[in-house]
Amino acid sequence: MMVFKRCAAAMLATLLLCFLPSLPVSADAIEQTKGSWKDKFRQLEVDLPTPNNYRTASGAPGHQYWQQRADYRINAKLDAAAKRITASETIRYSNNSPDALPYLWLQLDQNIYKDKSIAELTRTSGEDRVGYDTLARAQLMKDIKYGFEIAKVTDDRGSPLPYVIVDTMMRIDLRQPLAPGASISFSIDWAFNIINQERIGGRSGYEHFSEPDSDLFFIAQWFPRMAAYTDYAGWQHKAFLGRGEFTLEFGNYDVSLTVPADHIVSASGELRNASDVLTETQRSRLEKARTAKQPVFIVTPEEAAENEKATDKEMRTWVFRAQNVRDFAFASSNKFIWDAMGYRQEDQAQPEVMAMSFYPKEAEPLWSKYSTQAVVHTLRTYSKFSFAYPYPTAQSVNTWEGGGMEYPMITFNGYRPSVDKKTGKRTYSAQAKYGLIGVVIHEIGHIYFPMTVNSDERQWSWMDEGLNTFLQNIAHLEWEEGFGSQTRNPNLPAQITSYMVSENQVPIMTQSDSVLQFGPNAYTKPATALTILRETVMGRDLFDHAFREYARRWKFKRPTPSDFFRTMEDASGVDLDWFWRGWFYTTDHVDIDLSNVREYRIGSGDPDKEKPLQREEAARDQREPLASIHNREQGLQTAVERDPSLKDFYNENDKFTVTNKDRNSYQEMLEGLEPWEREALARAEKEGDWVYFLDFVNKGGLVMPLPLQLTFADKSTEFLMIPAEIWRYNSRKVTKMLIRPKQIVAVDLDPRQEIADADPSNNSFPRRIQASRLELYKDKRDEKNLMADMLVELKAKEGEKGKGAESGKDVPLAPAGEAK
């Protein structure tokens, strides 16, 4: 009966709602809406994969979780003159899945550079123009045959195995299916021509230096690698198109690299034969570096300069071992300066890590000052949010002018000083300094995500790029407040807004190769989302605990987005489905308009108190007709002023005059109140609180918390955070009531720019003028002065200066009928 009475006292719709929960509701019904209503808080479990024995509803690996394993033994030779790799490998593949596998798939990433690859054939051009870089690339592709040259594929007895190459993938057909729990060994011999990375583009290759004539090789995606076989997708054999990176299996690597004797080699893993390839002095320096407080030169700039001059044609073999890694890369050059320092961490399995940097003299003085220090800073920062760094080395190698790429224990990083052409002096800009520190942090950070937390990069770029960029930004601000502010806004929620309102967007959850505006989509937007979760939605304690739990659960395992989403909620106890849905599954943006604020005082109801106040308010708010003001100014008399006898009762009393009827009504009202109601009214009258109604309109679509700063008449302020759940009944417009003991004179929404609101102009009430600056300019016509142009001295040809064509310039084109 209690339920019935409450329902009967309300509207019929409310009455029905009281009984609806007892009825079954289907998943299809959840999708339906009435009118314009949208359920932004619909639970994400409707859309996520169903939990199973491999992946639980909590986001943890299930009790039957499995993943495959691939161990490699590789022998490779670098022909520096021919720019060519020749190699052989033996792979031992372990089938830990419950499935019998009739064939195996391998990745042949070098095949992306074949002229008939999907990536090459689907390159597009925005307009009818050809840059010199495009022309030079096309000429190289015509002159040199790139891609893997598979010599043979054999089983452990040396017998040939049949195989089929499908673009960047290779299928090996087995004589009989590989049973669950079984392993197989097979060998592959191959070779390929190394690309000129500056001309062809890509993640590896070589860079040529003309003074002196030397090369720097940075080699990755260079051997046939096992494709991943997973519980959620089977074989991940989507072609490598250049953007969606890699999905790989863990294993041990024993790699022998034969290179020119004057080369220094940096590689994934630990060097196993230092006595064969390093001098006694260099080995002594390496030992000293383990306990050094600052980086120690292992190969000094002077020794590197001598190596560059060497003409020795002998070869030398460097042997590396890398355990429990998902890939292997290396760099080799006679130009390398090498510095190192040890990093100690509280971890029994890996108490010491050697942080090292390899770079040519062209990178100085920037690299010796910052690279290795940035490596150590990354290890120190990232480990706080995940786990102790799990490998014995962490290496940064300078391989190009800008950008970076990551592999287990080794990263390829850009940024170098510039050289003044007149004085020959080397200096570096703020962009180069912070660019170097930032890219080292980012790429070394990738050794945590995805090199250890082994997400599927081919499918979901954001799971490594976004998470890593989020931690990178934390490391930036722990390196230096306002890190890089000379060239960028270090506040991610403020930085992302222009992208959030831009055209041609796709959701974060889009497959990697189909992402538009890749940088903001896969890097900045998910990093911003996690920043907002940590700093605004969840708070640091809850977020950090949940994020560490995710990292530790999936260390050396392969998580999917649902595992991340579920773990973050499971470990924090916070429902975040509305957040994942809005930020990761839509292209909505944040634009919340504080459209109106209304102010009230709680009235006592006593007409002798309220009516005079109402008269004052009317006089304040109701403006006198302008005509009456002008009449007085002109000395015009009204009729009642000329003849006072025209006045009566209503000229002496207005609508605010208190009557006995008003007083009787007030007494009747008091007598009708419950004791607790009368007590509440008396208290409100005594305290004199102010009541405000704040209207918020969601113009961008994303529901978000409402960070508010209230400014009072006495100039004091109050910060208030209203949770996003305020939007759960109406995601388009809500009204919030506030009761305060002091008068509010201003309300600011998102005053700290923490929710990525794209339009700050509607975030204040009363509205404020948006201040900015204009620069004056003088219009100048672009007139062609033929006489003056003819007097200009002819410049020397570019080739006479010993410098090739610069990237970014266009080749002059003529219609085919006019070409000569």
Side-chain angles (χ1 to χ4, degrees):
M1 288 297 295
M2 181 65 72
V3 173
F4 176 78
K5 286 181 178 179
R6 289 179 179 173
C7 291
M11 297 171 60
L12 177 60
T14 307
L15 171 63
L16 293 174
L17 284 174
C18 291
F19 297 98
L20 276 178
S22 63
L23 301 176
V25 180
S26 69
D28 292 336
I30 296 175
E31 291 283 358
Q32 298 175 8
T33 61
K34 180 68 173 177
S36 61
W37 182 79
K38 297 289 184 182
D39 184 5
K40 300 282 187 176
F41 290 82
R42 182 166 60 91
Q43 292 297 284
L44 198 60
E45 287 298 324
V46 175
D47 303 304
L48 296 181
T50 302
N52 52 45
N53 292 339
Y54 310 136
R55 300 173 187 274
T56 68
S58 69
H63 66 277
Q64 291 183 330
Y65 174 83
W66 57 267
Q67 61 189 28
Q68 309 291 63
R69 181 178 181 84
D71 298 307
Y72 298 80
R73 186 175 296 277
I74 304 174
N75 291 286
K77 179 182 178 181
L78 168 63
D79 187 333
K83 310 294 191 294
R84 184 173 173 83
I85 293 280
T86 304
S88 62
E89 69 179 352
T90 297
I91 302 175
R92 182 168 182 81
Y93 183 72
S94 300
N95 180 15
N96 299 319
S97 80
D99 309 319
L101 305 177
Y103 43 77
L104 307 177
W105 282 96
L106 286 82
Q107 303 185 56
L108 304 180
D109 294 327
Q110 288 294 319
N111 282 3
I112 194 174
Y113 304 115
K114 285 182 174 289
D115 57 1
K116 301 299 185 196
S117 71
I118 295 175
E120 196 63 29
L121 291 174
T122 56
R123 291 173 66 89
T124 57
S125 179
E127 51 187 299
D128 292 355
R129 58 189 297 179
V130 178
Y132 283 96
D133 52 353
T134 301
L135 181 62
R137 184 183 190 279
Q139 292 169 345
L140 268 179
M141 295 290 287
K142 181 169 61 175
D143 294 343
I144 302 174
K145 182 179 179 181
Y146 292 117
F148 278 119
E149 302 165 20
I150 304 296
K152 63 178 180 178
V153 180
T154 60
D155 62 19
D156 55 1
R157 294 173 294 180
S159 301
L161 286 172
Y163 63 90
V164 176
I165 295 177
V166 184
D167 198 58
T168 60
M169 294 288 170
M170 179 172 73
R171 190 189 73 228
I172 297 177
D173 296 322
L174 304 180
R175 293 185 177 84
Q176 59 184 23
L178 183 62
S183 298
I184 187 173
S185 293
F186 59 95
S187 299
I188 303 175
D189 291 355
W190 79 96
F192 67 89
N193 293 314
I194 304 169
I195 64 166
N196 181 331
Q197 193 276 336
E198 186 178 10
R199 291 287 171 259
I200 301 297
R203 290 169 168 80
S204 66
Y206 72 89
E207 179 182 8
H208 181 70
F209 296 82
S210 56
E211 297 179 6
D213 185 9
S214 56
D215 298 291
L216 192 161
F217 296 90
F218 44 106
I219 308 300
Q221 296 110 253
W222 60 284
F223 59 96
R225 304 178 294 177
M226 291 302 307
Y229 184 76
T230 72
D231 61 281
Y232 59 84
W235 286 107
Q236 176 54 283
H237 48 32
K238 190 180 189 307
F240 178 43
L241 302 181
R243 176 172 288 173
E245 291 179 341
F246 314 111
T247 311
L248 301 162
E249 306 288 6
F250 286 108
N252 294 335
Y253 286 73
D254 288 290
V255 181
S256 297
L257 302 171
T258 301
V259 302
D262 56 359
H263 277 212
I264 295 294
V265 178
S266 166
S268 299
E270 289 183 289
L271 179 63
R272 308 301 292 178
N273 65 332
S275 60
D276 296 334
V277 294
L278 300 180
T279 67
E280 183 178 351
T281 300
Q282 290 167 341
R283 297 197 302 273
S284 176
R285 293 170 184 162
L286 194 58
E287 190 62 31
K288 177 183 176 182
R290 296 185 183 279
T291 56
K293 300 300 183 183
Q294 296 291 328
V296 173
F297 283 120
I298 312 305
V299 175
T300 67
E302 294 75 21
E303 290 169 341
E306 288 301 315
N307 284 340
E308 281 191 278
K309 300 175 185 177
T311 57
D312 193 348
K313 300 299 183 182
E314 292 184 6
M315 304 292 284
R316 185 175 293 164
T317 299
W318 296 60
V319 179
F320 292 89
R321 176 172 295 169
Q323 294 184 305
N324 205 23
V325 296
R326 58 172 237 166
D327 202 357
F328 189 99
F330 70 95
S332 181
S333 180
N334 61 359
K335 295 180 66 65
F336 278 146
I337 302 167
W338 174 9
D339 72 47
M341 66 182 291
Y343 169 70
R344 303 290 300 181
Q345 59 182 5
E346 294 183 5
D347 183 60
Q348 292 183 349
Q350 192 62 61
E352 179 186 272
V353 181
M354 285 301 292
M356 302 188 287
S357 296
F358 299 77
Y359 44 93
K361 65 177 183 293
E362 288 78 6
E364 283 291 72
L366 186 60
W367 270 67
S368 61
K369 185 175 182 64
Y370 289 117
S371 178
T372 298
Q373 294 281 16
V375 172
V376 171
H377 178 71
T378 308
L379 304 183
R380 183 179 294 115
T381 304
Y382 274 61
S383 294
K384 293 190 300 184
F385 297 94
S386 54
F387 40 74
Y389 184 80
Y391 296 118
T393 67
Q395 303 163 62
S396 170
V397 184
N398 179 224
T399 52
W400 39 43
E401 291 287 346
M405 190 60 203
E406 74 282 355
Y407 303 93
M409 291 181 260
I410 184 173
T411 60
F412 299 160
N413 300 312
Y415 292 100
R416 291 173 184 158
S418 56
V419 180
D420 188 291
K421 294 181 179 179
K422 294 182 179 180
T423 65
K425 292 183 178 180
R426 290 185 177 275
T427 60
Y428 55 82
S429 64
Q431 182 176 1
K433 170 189 172 179
Y434 291 106
L436 170 61
I437 298 169
V439 76
V440 171
I441 291 172
H442 184 88
E443 304 307 338
I444 293 293
H446 269 312
I447 302 177
Y448 292 82
F449 305 91
M451 297 299 147
T452 306
V453 179
N454 186 24
S455 58
D456 186 340
E457 299 176 86
R458 190 65 50 89
Q459 186 67 28
W460 302 291
S461 288
W462 70 266
M463 285 198 74
D464 70 291
E465 299 297 357
L467 269 63
N468 187 40
T469 303
F470 159 69
L471 289 176
Q472 175 191 354
N473 201 59
I474 291 177
H476 282 179
L477 299 179
E478 292 192 9
W479 176 282
E480 176 182 317
E481 289 189 2
F483 181 97
S485 57
Q486 294 94 333
T487 58
R488 58 183 283 274
N489 186 343
N491 183 20
L492 289 182
Q495 182 186 3
I496 195 63
T497 55
S498 59
Y499 166 73
M500 297 280 281
V501 298
S502 67
E503 299 295 329
N504 299 320
Q505 286 188 61
V506 293
I508 290 174
M509 287 294 290
T510 303
Q511 190 272 329
S512 301
D513 292 304
S514 299
V515 169
L516 304 176
Q517 301 192 69
F518 189 75
N521 178 284
Y523 292 69
T524 319
K525 184 178 177 181
T528 301
L530 296 182
T531 299
I532 293 172
L533 275 184
R534 182 176 189 246
E535 304 293 353
T536 300
V537 176
M538 300 171 69
R540 289 189 171 190
D541 289 344
L542 289 178
F543 180 94
D544 293 352
H545 171 76
F547 194 87
R548 275 193 299 268
E549 182 66 18
Y550 165 73
R552 292 168 183 174
R553 281 180 176 183
W554 292 97
K555 180 182 179 183
F556 295 120
K557 296 182 177 67
R558 180 177 289 113
T560 65
S562 60
D563 301 316
F564 177 67
F565 297 153
R566 284 166 168 157
T567 294
M568 292 300 292
E569 294 192 21
D570 180 73
S572 69
V574 180
D575 180 6
L576 299 171
D577 287 13
W578 60 273
F579 190 88
W580 308 130
R581 184 180 298 285
W583 277 85
F584 289 78
Y585 288 85
T586 78
T587 57
D588 290 346
H589 66 278
V590 183
D591 180 9
I592 299 173
D593 178 6
L594 175 55
S595 62
N596 195 17
V597 177
R598 297 176 299 284
E599 178 185 274
Y600 297 88
R601 303 295 295 274
I602 296 178
S604 66
D606 184 345
D608 289 304
K609 297 179 179 178
E610 299 299 325
K611 291 286 187 175
L613 292 175
Q614 292 172 10
R615 182 181 290 114
E616 291 177 9
E617 291 173 358
R620 180 195 66 201
D621 298 334
Q622 184 174 313
R623 295 291 181 263
E624 181 183 8
L626 187 59
S628 295
I629 297 173
H630 289 166
N631 286 345
R632 282 198 306 274
E633 292 173 348
Q634 293 178 356
L636 189 149
Q637 280 191 320
T638 64
V640 295
E641 287 175 333
R642 290 194 301 270
D643 183 1
S645 66
L646 294 176
K647 294 182 178 181
D648 65 1
F649 173 84
Y650 291 104
N651 292 101
E652 302 298 329
N653 298 279
D654 59 17
K655 62 181 179 179
F656 302 109
T657 300
V658 181
T659 67
N660 288 334
K661 182 179 180 181
D662 294 331
R663 294 183 179 99
N664 291 336
S665 297
Y666 171 59
Q667 290 300 322
E668 292 172 1
M669 184 271 290
L670 289 178
E671 292 169 0
L673 294 178
E674 298 286 345
W676 65 269
E677 293 174 324
R678 188 177 301 177
E679 182 181 342
L681 179 62
R683 177 178 172 180
E685 183 180 3
K686 178 181 178 181
E687 295 179 350
D689 286 338
W690 300 73
V691 181
Y692 296 89
F693 292 89
L694 285 61
D695 293 337
F696 300 92
V697 178
N698 184 356
K699 293 183 174 181
L702 279 183
V703 294
M704 291 294 285
L706 303 175
L708 300 177
Q709 180 170 287
L710 312 177
T711 302
F712 297 97
D714 62 4
K715 297 186 178 181
S716 63
T717 59
E718 175 191 346
F719 186 82
L720 175 66
M721 181 69 73
I722 300 174
E725 282 77 7
I726 192 174
W727 301 99
R728 67 190 182 278
Y729 298 127
N730 187 336
S731 62
R732 297 188 175 181
K733 181 178 180 179
V734 295
T735 298
K736 175 64 179 176
M737 182 185 73
L738 298 178
I739 301 177
R740 291 296 183 272
K742 297 184 290 186
Q743 184 181 21
I744 296 174
V745 296
V747 181
D748 293 297
L749 170 66
D750 194 25
R752 303 181 298 193
Q753 294 185 326
E754 60 186 293
I755 61 171
D757 194 299
D759 185 6
S761 69
N762 59 24
N763 286 1
S764 297
F765 201 93
R767 291 287 191 254
R768 294 177 181 167
I769 297 175
Q770 299 295 302
S772 188
R773 297 179 67 85
L774 289 175
E775 290 187 7
L776 298 179
Y777 71 96
K778 187 175 181 179
D779 193 11
K780 183 178 181 181
R781 292 186 179 181
D782 184 14
E783 296 181 351
K784 182 175 180 65
N785 187 328
L786 182 61
M787 184 179 294
D789 291 349
M790 290 294 292
L791 295 175
V792 173
E793 183 179 352
L794 184 66
K795 292 182 178 181
K797 293 182 180 180
E798 197 73 22
E800 296 173 4
K801 296 181 179 181
K803 180 69 175 177
E806 296 181 7
S807 174
K809 294 183 179 179
D810 289 341
V811 178
L813 297 178
E818 301 176 13
K820 296 181 180 179

